[in-house]
């Protein structure tokens, strides 16, 4: 029986060791699109950023500047 993902399953997602950030982002986005009720963009961004560990978070913040 398939269960639709929810906010807690998005929060629990982690980047795999050999997975590029772009691949992880695409995988996360596909899962986020299946969440019901739909998430606001702001909610998605907050959930996505919180899935990263400190090392990746520093990398992302540094590359966005």
């Amino acid at each position: 029986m398939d269960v639709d993902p929810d906010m807690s399953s998005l929060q629990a997602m982690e980047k795999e060791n050999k997975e590029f950030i772009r691949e992880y982002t695409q995988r996360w986005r596909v899962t986020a699109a299946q969440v019901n009720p739909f998430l606001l963009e702001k909610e998605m961004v907050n959930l996505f950023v919180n899935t990263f560990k400190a090392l990746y978070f520093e990398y992302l913040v540094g590359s966005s500047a």
Side-chain angles (χ1 to χ4, degrees), residues 7-28:
M7 286 181 40
S8 62
S9 62
L10 286 176
Q11 290 172 328
M13 286 183 73
E14 292 184 359
K15 182 182 167 305
E16 296 172 5
N17 286 339
K18 296 188 180 214
E19 186 176 33
F20 291 110
I21 291 177
R22 177 172 283 183
E23 293 168 342
Y24 171 68
T25 302
Q26 290 172 341
R27 184 169 58 92
W28 193 93

Side-chain angles (χ1 to χ4, degrees), residues 31-52:
T31 305
Q34 298 171 1
V35 171
N36 198 4
F38 297 111
L39 299 170
L40 299 174
E41 177 123 4
K42 187 175 184 176
E43 291 173 315
M44 277 194 262
V45 169
N46 286 333
L47 286 171
F48 179 71
V49 169
N50 289 332
T51 64
F52 285 96

